[in-house]
Amino acid sequence: GEKVEQHQSTLSVREGDSAVINCTYTDTASSYFPWYKQEAGKSLHFVIDIRSNVDRKQSQRLTVLLDKKAKRFSLHITATQPEDSAIYFCAASIGNSAGNKLTFGIGTRVLVRP
Amino acid sequence: GGIITQTPKFLIGQEGQKLTLKCQQNFNHDTMYWYRQDSGKGLRLIYYSITENDLQKGDLSEGYDASREKKSSFSLTVTSAQKNEMAVFLCASSPGLGGGEQYFGPGTRLTVL
C-alpha cells in the first residue's frame, strides 16, 4: 500500500523567514495530496491541498509544489508568524475513489522563534 | 458550519476490557473515519465508512470493531485493551467522493492501566 514519508521531524525558523516541509510518496496512483495542521492541544485541521493535474497551488502565504516524477510534494510557508508554530502532516490518496482513504506522514513540528 | 463531537474526551480502562468510543457529526457527510494517533507515528486509519451500515478496514483494524448505525454517528470498539496502551483516537468526516477536506473531531485520549 501507499507509504508517505515526511523527512523532517522538527523545523525551527526565525519569524519572517520561510519554512519548507518535504514529503515523498510511493504509489504512482496517488493523485490527491492534502496538508493538515495540528496546533498544541488541538485536533487537526485542513490547510491546503493539491491534485495531480497541477504542479503548484498557492493560498495566501502557503504554497504546495508537486513533482510527480520524483513522487515528492512540499509545503512552503512564507513570512512565518508565531501562529504558524504547529505540527504539519502531509498525506496522500488515490482521491478518485469513494472514501478518500488518506495515508499520513508522521508530522513535522514547526517552531517559529522570535 | 458543522461540528464533530467525540465522547468521552478521556477514557481510562483496564487490560482486557472492551471499550467504546463514540463520534457524531452534523455536516451531513457521507464518509466517516477513525484514526489512531501515536506520538512519533502520525495518524493511522483504523476503520472508515462511506455510508450508513458500511464498514471498510483501514491499516490498523486488528483489535478493533466499528459500527455505523446511522449517517451521523460512527462508533469504535477496542475489543481487548492492551496494558500500557496510550493513544489519541480521532474521528473525522468528509463529503466522500474524489478527495476533499476531512474534518476532525477533538479526539478521545485512551489510557490503559
Side-chain angles (χ1 to χ4, degrees):
Chain A
E2 172 71 282
K3 285 187 175 30
V4 175
E5 289 204 32
Q6 213 164 331
H7 301 283
Q8 309 119 295
S9 57
T10 58
L11 180 61
S12 179
V13 297
R14 190 169 295 173
E15 184 177 348
D17 287 350
S18 293
V20 181
I21 306 168
N22 297 299
C23 289
T24 55
Y25 62 98
T26 57
D27 191 342
T28 52
S30 287
S31 62
Y32 175 67
F33 306 92
W35 288 84
Y36 286 80
K37 178 181 180 182
Q38 186 174 35
E39 293 166 77
K42 296 187 179 177
S43 193
L44 277 74
H45 71 264
F46 171 88
V47 289
I48 192 170
D49 60 10
I50 191 168
R51 293 182 188 272
S52 58
N53 58 340
V54 297
D55 55 18
R56 184 178 190 275
K57 182 175 178 180
Q58 183 174 355
S59 174
Q60 299 181 319
R61 294 186 297 108
L62 303 178
T63 301
V64 183
L65 302 179
L66 173 63
D67 181 344
K68 292 191 291 289
K69 212 170 190 181
K71 287 188 276 191
R72 182 171 57 218
F73 58 115
S74 56
L75 175 67
H76 298 244
I77 309 172
T78 57
T80 52
Q81 299 169 5
E83 54 264 35
D84 295 327
S85 293
I87 301 175
Y88 291 81
F89 293 92
C90 61
S93 82
I94 293 174
N96 60 356
S97 60
N100 186 24
K101 185 180 164 187
L102 289 174
T103 300
F104 283 84
I106 63 170
T108 297
R109 184 181 297 274
V110 172
L111 174 63
V112 179
R113 59 185 195 277
Chain B
I3 192 167
I4 296 182
T5 55
Q6 290 187 239
T7 54
K9 193 169 179 179
F10 299 95
L11 182 56
I12 300 175
Q14 301 290 327
E15 185 181 16
Q17 193 175 359
K18 188 173 177 179
L19 302 165
T20 299
L21 294 71
K22 293 188 183 296
C23 177
Q24 298 263 352
Q25 54 98 359
N26 63 1
F27 289 101
N28 199 34
H29 285 163
D30 289 315
T31 309
M32 296 185 74
Y33 313 80
W34 276 108
Y35 292 94
R36 177 179 164 131
Q37 183 175 23
D38 294 272
S39 179
K41 290 186 181 174
L43 276 73
R44 292 178 288 172
L45 182 65
I46 305 172
Y47 270 98
Y48 67 107
S49 165
I50 62 173
T51 189
E52 187 177 324
N53 293 320
D54 173 74
L55 283 179
Q56 311 274 346
K57 289 185 179 181
D59 298 323
L60 202 66
S61 60
E62 191 169 331
Y64 302 94
D65 285 328
S67 176
R68 181 97 182 267
E69 307 94 344
K70 48 183 182 175
K71 189 175 183 179
S72 61
S73 68
F74 193 28
S75 59
L76 180 73
T77 298
V78 181
T79 55
S80 177
Q82 300 299 303
K83 192 171 177 61
N84 298 324
E85 183 173 2
M86 188 179 293
V88 175
F89 291 83
L90 294 171
C91 176
S93 71
S94 72
L97 291 172
E101 183 177 348
Q102 292 186 17
Y103 295 79
F104 283 81
T108 292
R109 184 174 293 276
L110 171 67
T111 303
V112 182
L113 303 175

Short mmCIF file of all heavy atoms in Angstrom, two decimals, chain A residues 2 32 34 36 38 41-46 49 51 87 89 93 95-107, chain B residues 31 33 35 37 40-45 48 50 57-59 90 94 96-107:
data_model
loop_
_atom_site.label_atom_id
_atom_site.label_comp_id
_atom_site.label_asym_id
_atom_site.label_seq_id
_atom_site.Cartn_x
_atom_site.Cartn_y
_atom_site.Cartn_z
N GLU A 2 0.20 2.37 -0.04
CA GLU A 2 0.88 3.67 -0.08
C GLU A 2 1.70 3.91 1.19
O GLU A 2 1.26 3.54 2.29
CB GLU A 2 -0.17 4.78 -0.25
CG GLU A 2 0.34 6.21 -0.13
CD GLU A 2 1.19 6.63 -1.31
OE1 GLU A 2 2.38 6.23 -1.35
OE2 GLU A 2 0.69 7.38 -2.17
N TYR A 32 -4.08 12.88 -4.94
CA TYR A 32 -4.62 13.94 -4.07
C TYR A 32 -3.70 14.06 -2.86
O TYR A 32 -3.41 13.05 -2.20
CB TYR A 32 -6.05 13.57 -3.66
CG TYR A 32 -6.64 14.54 -2.67
CD1 TYR A 32 -6.92 15.85 -3.03
CD2 TYR A 32 -6.91 14.14 -1.37
CE1 TYR A 32 -7.44 16.74 -2.12
CE2 TYR A 32 -7.44 15.03 -0.44
CZ TYR A 32 -7.70 16.33 -0.83
OH TYR A 32 -8.22 17.21 0.07
N PRO A 34 -3.23 16.40 0.49
CA PRO A 34 -3.60 17.48 1.41
C PRO A 34 -2.57 17.68 2.50
O PRO A 34 -1.75 16.78 2.78
CB PRO A 34 -4.91 16.97 2.00
CG PRO A 34 -4.74 15.49 2.04
CD PRO A 34 -3.85 15.12 0.86
N TYR A 36 -2.39 19.04 6.63
CA TYR A 36 -3.16 19.35 7.82
C TYR A 36 -2.24 19.93 8.88
O TYR A 36 -1.05 19.61 8.94
CB TYR A 36 -3.84 18.08 8.37
CG TYR A 36 -5.02 17.63 7.56
CD1 TYR A 36 -4.84 16.90 6.37
CD2 TYR A 36 -6.31 17.96 7.93
CE1 TYR A 36 -5.93 16.52 5.60
CE2 TYR A 36 -7.40 17.57 7.17
CZ TYR A 36 -7.20 16.86 6.01
OH TYR A 36 -8.28 16.48 5.26
N GLN A 38 -1.80 20.78 13.10
CA GLN A 38 -2.26 20.48 14.45
C GLN A 38 -1.55 21.39 15.43
O GLN A 38 -0.33 21.24 15.66
CB GLN A 38 -2.01 19.01 14.80
CG GLN A 38 -2.60 18.61 16.14
CD GLN A 38 -2.47 17.12 16.42
OE1 GLN A 38 -1.47 16.49 16.04
NE2 GLN A 38 -3.47 16.54 17.07
N GLY A 41 -2.32 20.93 21.64
CA GLY A 41 -3.52 20.61 22.39
C GLY A 41 -4.80 20.58 21.57
O GLY A 41 -5.89 20.44 22.14
N LYS A 42 -4.68 20.69 20.26
CA LYS A 42 -5.89 20.73 19.42
C LYS A 42 -5.88 19.59 18.41
O LYS A 42 -4.90 18.86 18.29
CB LYS A 42 -5.96 22.07 18.70
CG LYS A 42 -6.11 23.25 19.64
CD LYS A 42 -6.35 24.54 18.86
CE LYS A 42 -6.53 25.70 19.83
NZ LYS A 42 -6.70 26.98 19.11
N SER A 43 -6.99 19.46 17.71
CA SER A 43 -7.08 18.43 16.68
C SER A 43 -6.54 18.97 15.36
O SER A 43 -6.09 20.11 15.27
CB SER A 43 -8.52 17.96 16.54
OG SER A 43 -8.57 16.78 15.78
N LEU A 44 -6.61 18.15 14.34
CA LEU A 44 -6.09 18.55 13.03
C LEU A 44 -7.10 19.41 12.30
O LEU A 44 -8.32 19.21 12.43
CB LEU A 44 -5.84 17.30 12.16
CG LEU A 44 -4.54 16.56 12.35
CD1 LEU A 44 -4.55 15.76 13.63
CD2 LEU A 44 -4.28 15.66 11.15
N HIS A 45 -6.59 20.36 11.52
CA HIS A 45 -7.47 21.00 10.56
C HIS A 45 -6.75 21.17 9.23
O HIS A 45 -5.53 21.33 9.17
CB HIS A 45 -8.06 22.30 11.10
CG HIS A 45 -7.09 23.42 11.22
ND1 HIS A 45 -6.44 23.71 12.40
CD2 HIS A 45 -6.65 24.33 10.32
CE1 HIS A 45 -5.65 24.74 12.22
NE2 HIS A 45 -5.75 25.14 10.97
N PHE A 46 -7.53 21.15 8.20
CA PHE A 46 -7.05 21.22 6.82
C PHE A 46 -6.45 22.60 6.55
O PHE A 46 -7.00 23.62 6.98
CB PHE A 46 -8.24 20.96 5.90
CG PHE A 46 -7.99 21.19 4.45
CD1 PHE A 46 -7.48 20.19 3.65
CD2 PHE A 46 -8.29 22.41 3.87
CE1 PHE A 46 -7.28 20.39 2.31
CE2 PHE A 46 -8.08 22.63 2.54
CZ PHE A 46 -7.58 21.62 1.74
N ASP A 49 -4.48 21.83 -0.17
CA ASP A 49 -4.28 20.56 -0.87
C ASP A 49 -3.87 20.82 -2.31
O ASP A 49 -3.93 21.95 -2.80
CB ASP A 49 -5.53 19.68 -0.82
CG ASP A 49 -6.76 20.33 -1.45
OD1 ASP A 49 -6.63 21.39 -2.10
OD2 ASP A 49 -7.87 19.79 -1.28
N ARG A 51 -3.96 18.64 -6.30
CA ARG A 51 -4.28 17.44 -7.07
C ARG A 51 -3.25 17.28 -8.17
O ARG A 51 -2.58 18.24 -8.56
CB ARG A 51 -5.70 17.54 -7.64
CG ARG A 51 -6.76 17.53 -6.56
CD ARG A 51 -8.17 17.57 -7.12
NE ARG A 51 -9.14 17.74 -6.04
CZ ARG A 51 -9.68 16.73 -5.37
NH1 ARG A 51 -9.37 15.50 -5.67
NH2 ARG A 51 -10.56 16.97 -4.41
N ILE A 87 2.31 21.28 14.40
CA ILE A 87 2.75 20.08 13.68
C ILE A 87 1.99 20.05 12.35
O ILE A 87 0.76 20.22 12.34
CB ILE A 87 2.47 18.80 14.48
CG1 ILE A 87 3.18 18.85 15.83
CG2 ILE A 87 2.94 17.57 13.69
CD1 ILE A 87 2.85 17.68 16.74
N PHE A 89 1.10 17.83 8.96
CA PHE A 89 1.04 16.47 8.41
C PHE A 89 0.75 16.54 6.91
O PHE A 89 -0.18 17.23 6.49
CB PHE A 89 -0.09 15.67 9.07
CG PHE A 89 0.12 15.37 10.52
CD1 PHE A 89 -0.37 16.22 11.49
CD2 PHE A 89 0.81 14.23 10.92
CE1 PHE A 89 -0.18 15.96 12.84
CE2 PHE A 89 1.00 13.95 12.27
CZ PHE A 89 0.51 14.82 13.23
N SER A 93 -3.63 10.29 -1.23
CA SER A 93 -4.64 9.29 -1.52
C SER A 93 -4.85 9.19 -3.02
O SER A 93 -4.42 10.06 -3.77
CB SER A 93 -5.97 9.61 -0.84
OG SER A 93 -6.70 10.54 -1.59
N GLY A 95 -7.75 9.43 -4.30
CA GLY A 95 -8.53 10.64 -4.47
C GLY A 95 -9.73 10.54 -5.38
O GLY A 95 -10.56 11.43 -5.40
N ASN A 96 -9.82 9.49 -6.17
CA ASN A 96 -10.99 9.42 -7.03
C ASN A 96 -11.89 8.26 -6.64
O ASN A 96 -12.77 7.87 -7.35
CB ASN A 96 -10.57 9.28 -8.50
CG ASN A 96 -9.74 8.04 -8.73
OD1 ASN A 96 -9.41 7.33 -7.78
ND2 ASN A 96 -9.40 7.76 -9.95
N SER A 97 -11.65 7.71 -5.46
CA SER A 97 -12.47 6.59 -5.01
C SER A 97 -13.31 7.04 -3.83
O SER A 97 -12.94 7.95 -3.10
CB SER A 97 -11.59 5.41 -4.60
OG SER A 97 -10.72 5.78 -3.56
N ALA A 98 -14.39 6.40 -3.65
CA ALA A 98 -15.24 6.72 -2.51
C ALA A 98 -14.46 6.54 -1.22
O ALA A 98 -13.75 5.56 -1.05
CB ALA A 98 -16.46 5.82 -2.51
N GLY A 99 -14.58 7.49 -0.35
CA GLY A 99 -13.96 7.32 0.96
C GLY A 99 -12.67 8.10 1.13
O GLY A 99 -12.27 8.37 2.24
N ASN A 100 -11.99 8.47 0.03
CA ASN A 100 -10.81 9.31 0.16
C ASN A 100 -9.89 8.81 1.26
O ASN A 100 -9.58 9.51 2.21
CB ASN A 100 -11.22 10.76 0.46
CG ASN A 100 -10.03 11.70 0.46
OD1 ASN A 100 -9.02 11.43 -0.15
ND2 ASN A 100 -10.15 12.78 1.19
N LYS A 101 -9.41 7.57 1.15
CA LYS A 101 -8.59 6.96 2.18
C LYS A 101 -7.20 7.59 2.15
O LYS A 101 -6.44 7.40 1.21
CB LYS A 101 -8.51 5.46 1.88
CG LYS A 101 -7.79 4.64 2.91
CD LYS A 101 -7.79 3.18 2.48
CE LYS A 101 -6.76 2.40 3.26
NZ LYS A 101 -6.62 1.04 2.76
N LEU A 102 -6.87 8.35 3.18
CA LEU A 102 -5.61 9.07 3.25
C LEU A 102 -4.56 8.26 3.99
O LEU A 102 -4.86 7.61 4.98
CB LEU A 102 -5.81 10.39 4.01
CG LEU A 102 -6.59 11.49 3.31
CD1 LEU A 102 -6.80 12.65 4.27
CD2 LEU A 102 -5.89 11.96 2.05
N THR A 103 -3.33 8.34 3.48
CA THR A 103 -2.16 7.84 4.22
C THR A 103 -1.37 9.06 4.66
O THR A 103 -1.00 9.90 3.82
CB THR A 103 -1.30 6.93 3.33
OG1 THR A 103 -2.08 5.82 2.90
CG2 THR A 103 -0.10 6.42 4.11
N PHE A 104 -1.11 9.16 5.95
CA PHE A 104 -0.45 10.33 6.51
C PHE A 104 1.04 10.09 6.74
O PHE A 104 1.47 8.96 7.01
CB PHE A 104 -1.07 10.69 7.86
CG PHE A 104 -2.39 11.39 7.77
CD1 PHE A 104 -3.57 10.67 7.63
CD2 PHE A 104 -2.46 12.77 7.85
CE1 PHE A 104 -4.80 11.32 7.55
CE2 PHE A 104 -3.68 13.43 7.78
CZ PHE A 104 -4.84 12.70 7.63
N GLY A 105 1.81 11.17 6.66
CA GLY A 105 3.17 11.17 7.17
C GLY A 105 3.16 11.31 8.67
O GLY A 105 2.09 11.49 9.28
N ILE A 106 4.34 11.22 9.28
CA ILE A 106 4.40 11.22 10.75
C ILE A 106 4.36 12.62 11.35
O ILE A 106 4.28 12.76 12.56
CB ILE A 106 5.65 10.47 11.27
CG1 ILE A 106 6.93 11.18 10.82
CG2 ILE A 106 5.64 9.02 10.82
CD1 ILE A 106 8.17 10.63 11.51
N GLY A 107 4.42 13.64 10.52
CA GLY A 107 4.31 15.00 11.02
C GLY A 107 5.65 15.70 11.17
O GLY A 107 6.67 15.07 11.46
N THR B 31 -19.05 10.14 4.50
CA THR B 31 -17.95 9.29 4.93
C THR B 31 -17.43 9.69 6.31
O THR B 31 -17.27 10.88 6.60
CB THR B 31 -16.79 9.37 3.91
OG1 THR B 31 -17.32 9.12 2.61
CG2 THR B 31 -15.73 8.32 4.20
N TYR B 33 -14.49 8.43 9.51
CA TYR B 33 -13.21 7.74 9.69
C TYR B 33 -12.86 7.67 11.17
O TYR B 33 -13.19 8.57 11.93
CB TYR B 33 -12.07 8.51 9.01
CG TYR B 33 -12.32 8.96 7.59
CD1 TYR B 33 -13.07 10.10 7.33
CD2 TYR B 33 -11.79 8.26 6.50
CE1 TYR B 33 -13.30 10.54 6.05
CE2 TYR B 33 -12.01 8.69 5.21
CZ TYR B 33 -12.77 9.83 4.98
OH TYR B 33 -12.99 10.26 3.70
N TYR B 35 -9.18 7.29 13.23
CA TYR B 35 -7.73 7.24 13.18
C TYR B 35 -7.19 7.07 14.59
O TYR B 35 -7.77 7.53 15.56
CB TYR B 35 -7.14 8.54 12.64
CG TYR B 35 -7.43 8.83 11.19
CD1 TYR B 35 -8.51 9.61 10.82
CD2 TYR B 35 -6.59 8.35 10.19
CE1 TYR B 35 -8.76 9.92 9.50
CE2 TYR B 35 -6.82 8.65 8.85
CZ TYR B 35 -7.91 9.43 8.52
OH TYR B 35 -8.15 9.71 7.20
N GLN B 37 -3.77 8.15 16.72
CA GLN B 37 -2.59 8.99 16.67
C GLN B 37 -1.68 8.62 17.84
O GLN B 37 -2.05 8.74 19.00
CB GLN B 37 -2.96 10.48 16.75
CG GLN B 37 -1.75 11.38 16.63
CD GLN B 37 -2.07 12.86 16.59
OE1 GLN B 37 -3.12 13.29 17.06
NE2 GLN B 37 -1.17 13.65 16.02
N GLY B 40 4.95 10.31 17.40
CA GLY B 40 6.03 9.88 16.51
C GLY B 40 5.60 8.95 15.39
O GLY B 40 6.43 8.52 14.60
N LYS B 41 4.29 8.65 15.31
CA LYS B 41 3.84 7.73 14.26
C LYS B 41 2.76 8.34 13.38
O LYS B 41 2.20 7.68 12.51
CB LYS B 41 3.31 6.45 14.88
CG LYS B 41 4.40 5.57 15.50
CD LYS B 41 3.83 4.25 15.97
CE LYS B 41 4.94 3.41 16.60
NZ LYS B 41 4.41 2.17 17.19
N GLY B 42 2.42 9.56 13.56
CA GLY B 42 1.40 10.16 12.72
C GLY B 42 0.03 9.56 12.97
O GLY B 42 -0.25 9.02 14.04
N LEU B 43 -0.81 9.63 11.97
CA LEU B 43 -2.17 9.08 12.07
C LEU B 43 -2.25 7.80 11.26
O LEU B 43 -1.77 7.74 10.12
CB LEU B 43 -3.19 10.07 11.48
CG LEU B 43 -3.70 11.16 12.39
CD1 LEU B 43 -2.64 12.20 12.61
CD2 LEU B 43 -4.93 11.81 11.79
N ARG B 44 -2.90 6.80 11.82
CA ARG B 44 -3.13 5.56 11.10
C ARG B 44 -4.61 5.26 11.08
O ARG B 44 -5.28 5.34 12.11
CB ARG B 44 -2.32 4.43 11.75
CG ARG B 44 -0.82 4.60 11.58
CD ARG B 44 -0.05 3.50 12.25
NE ARG B 44 -0.07 3.64 13.72
CZ ARG B 44 0.40 2.73 14.55
NH1 ARG B 44 0.91 1.59 14.09
NH2 ARG B 44 0.36 2.93 15.85
N LEU B 45 -5.09 4.88 9.91
CA LEU B 45 -6.51 4.65 9.71
C LEU B 45 -6.92 3.30 10.28
O LEU B 45 -6.32 2.28 9.94
CB LEU B 45 -6.84 4.73 8.22
CG LEU B 45 -8.29 4.56 7.80
CD1 LEU B 45 -9.13 5.72 8.34
CD2 LEU B 45 -8.40 4.49 6.28
N TYR B 48 -13.08 3.00 8.24
CA TYR B 48 -13.86 4.08 7.68
C TYR B 48 -15.17 3.52 7.13
O TYR B 48 -15.33 2.31 6.97
CB TYR B 48 -13.08 4.89 6.64
CG TYR B 48 -12.72 4.19 5.36
CD1 TYR B 48 -13.38 4.50 4.18
CD2 TYR B 48 -11.68 3.27 5.31
CE1 TYR B 48 -13.03 3.89 2.98
CE2 TYR B 48 -11.33 2.65 4.14
CZ TYR B 48 -11.99 2.97 2.97
OH TYR B 48 -11.64 2.36 1.79
N ILE B 50 -18.33 4.60 4.22
CA ILE B 50 -18.72 5.53 3.17
C ILE B 50 -20.22 5.82 3.17
O ILE B 50 -20.69 6.71 2.45
CB ILE B 50 -18.25 5.08 1.78
CG1 ILE B 50 -18.89 3.75 1.39
CG2 ILE B 50 -16.74 5.00 1.72
CD1 ILE B 50 -18.58 3.34 -0.06
N LYS B 57 -12.15 -1.69 6.33
CA LYS B 57 -10.97 -1.77 7.22
C LYS B 57 -9.87 -0.85 6.73
O LYS B 57 -9.61 -0.75 5.53
CB LYS B 57 -10.46 -3.21 7.27
CG LYS B 57 -11.37 -4.15 8.02
CD LYS B 57 -10.76 -5.53 8.13
CE LYS B 57 -11.69 -6.45 8.92
NZ LYS B 57 -11.12 -7.80 9.08
N GLY B 58 -9.21 -0.23 7.70
CA GLY B 58 -8.00 0.53 7.40
C GLY B 58 -6.78 -0.32 7.66
O GLY B 58 -6.86 -1.55 7.74
N ASP B 59 -5.64 0.33 7.82
CA ASP B 59 -4.38 -0.39 8.00
C ASP B 59 -4.22 -0.96 9.41
O ASP B 59 -3.36 -1.82 9.63
CB ASP B 59 -3.21 0.56 7.71
CG ASP B 59 -3.24 1.06 6.28
OD1 ASP B 59 -3.61 0.27 5.39
OD2 ASP B 59 -2.91 2.24 6.06
N LEU B 90 -8.90 9.76 16.85
CA LEU B 90 -9.52 10.88 16.17
C LEU B 90 -10.58 10.39 15.19
O LEU B 90 -10.32 9.49 14.39
CB LEU B 90 -8.46 11.68 15.40
CG LEU B 90 -7.41 12.40 16.26
CD1 LEU B 90 -6.31 12.96 15.38
CD2 LEU B 90 -8.05 13.51 17.05
N SER B 94 -15.99 13.43 5.94
CA SER B 94 -15.79 14.16 4.69
C SER B 94 -17.00 13.90 3.79
O SER B 94 -17.70 12.90 3.95
CB SER B 94 -14.50 13.73 4.00
OG SER B 94 -14.62 12.43 3.45
N GLY B 96 -16.95 12.79 0.88
CA GLY B 96 -16.77 11.41 0.42
C GLY B 96 -16.03 11.23 -0.87
O GLY B 96 -14.93 10.75 -0.88
N LEU B 97 -16.61 11.64 -1.99
CA LEU B 97 -16.05 11.20 -3.26
C LEU B 97 -14.95 12.12 -3.77
O LEU B 97 -15.00 13.32 -3.60
CB LEU B 97 -17.16 11.12 -4.32
CG LEU B 97 -18.17 10.00 -4.11
CD1 LEU B 97 -19.31 10.13 -5.09
CD2 LEU B 97 -17.50 8.66 -4.27
N GLY B 98 -13.95 11.56 -4.40
CA GLY B 98 -12.97 12.34 -5.15
C GLY B 98 -12.00 13.13 -4.33
O GLY B 98 -11.44 14.11 -4.80
N GLY B 99 -11.75 12.72 -3.12
CA GLY B 99 -10.85 13.50 -2.29
C GLY B 99 -11.59 14.67 -1.69
O GLY B 99 -12.77 14.87 -1.91
N GLY B 100 -10.89 15.48 -0.93
CA GLY B 100 -11.55 16.61 -0.30
C GLY B 100 -11.26 16.64 1.18
O GLY B 100 -10.86 15.65 1.76
N GLU B 101 -11.51 17.79 1.74
CA GLU B 101 -11.16 18.05 3.12
C GLU B 101 -11.84 17.10 4.08
O GLU B 101 -13.04 16.83 3.96
CB GLU B 101 -11.55 19.49 3.44
CG GLU B 101 -11.20 19.96 4.83
CD GLU B 101 -11.57 21.41 5.03
OE1 GLU B 101 -11.88 22.09 4.03
OE2 GLU B 101 -11.56 21.85 6.19
N GLN B 102 -11.07 16.60 5.03
CA GLN B 102 -11.64 15.85 6.14
C GLN B 102 -11.69 16.78 7.35
O GLN B 102 -10.77 17.54 7.60
CB GLN B 102 -10.79 14.61 6.46
CG GLN B 102 -10.84 13.57 5.36
CD GLN B 102 -10.13 12.28 5.71
OE1 GLN B 102 -9.84 11.99 6.86
NE2 GLN B 102 -9.87 11.47 4.69
N TYR B 103 -12.79 16.67 8.09
CA TYR B 103 -13.00 17.48 9.28
C TYR B 103 -12.81 16.59 10.49
O TYR B 103 -13.45 15.53 10.58
CB TYR B 103 -14.40 18.09 9.27
CG TYR B 103 -14.63 19.06 8.15
CD1 TYR B 103 -14.89 18.61 6.85
CD2 TYR B 103 -14.58 20.43 8.38
CE1 TYR B 103 -15.08 19.51 5.81
CE2 TYR B 103 -14.78 21.34 7.34
CZ TYR B 103 -15.03 20.86 6.06
OH TYR B 103 -15.22 21.74 5.03
N PHE B 104 -11.96 17.03 11.41
CA PHE B 104 -11.59 16.19 12.54
C PHE B 104 -12.29 16.62 13.82
O PHE B 104 -12.52 17.80 14.07
CB PHE B 104 -10.08 16.23 12.76
CG PHE B 104 -9.31 15.39 11.78
CD1 PHE B 104 -9.03 15.86 10.51
CD2 PHE B 104 -8.90 14.12 12.13
CE1 PHE B 104 -8.33 15.08 9.60
CE2 PHE B 104 -8.20 13.32 11.23
CZ PHE B 104 -7.92 13.81 9.96
N GLY B 105 -12.60 15.62 14.64
CA GLY B 105 -13.10 15.87 15.97
C GLY B 105 -11.96 16.16 16.93
O GLY B 105 -10.79 16.06 16.57
N PRO B 106 -12.27 16.48 18.18
CA PRO B 106 -11.26 16.87 19.17
C PRO B 106 -10.47 15.70 19.73
O PRO B 106 -9.43 15.90 20.35
CB PRO B 106 -12.08 17.55 20.27
CG PRO B 106 -13.43 16.94 20.16
CD PRO B 106 -13.65 16.66 18.70
N GLY B 107 -10.96 14.47 19.53
CA GLY B 107 -10.19 13.31 19.98
C GLY B 107 -10.65 12.73 21.30
O GLY B 107 -11.25 13.41 22.13
#
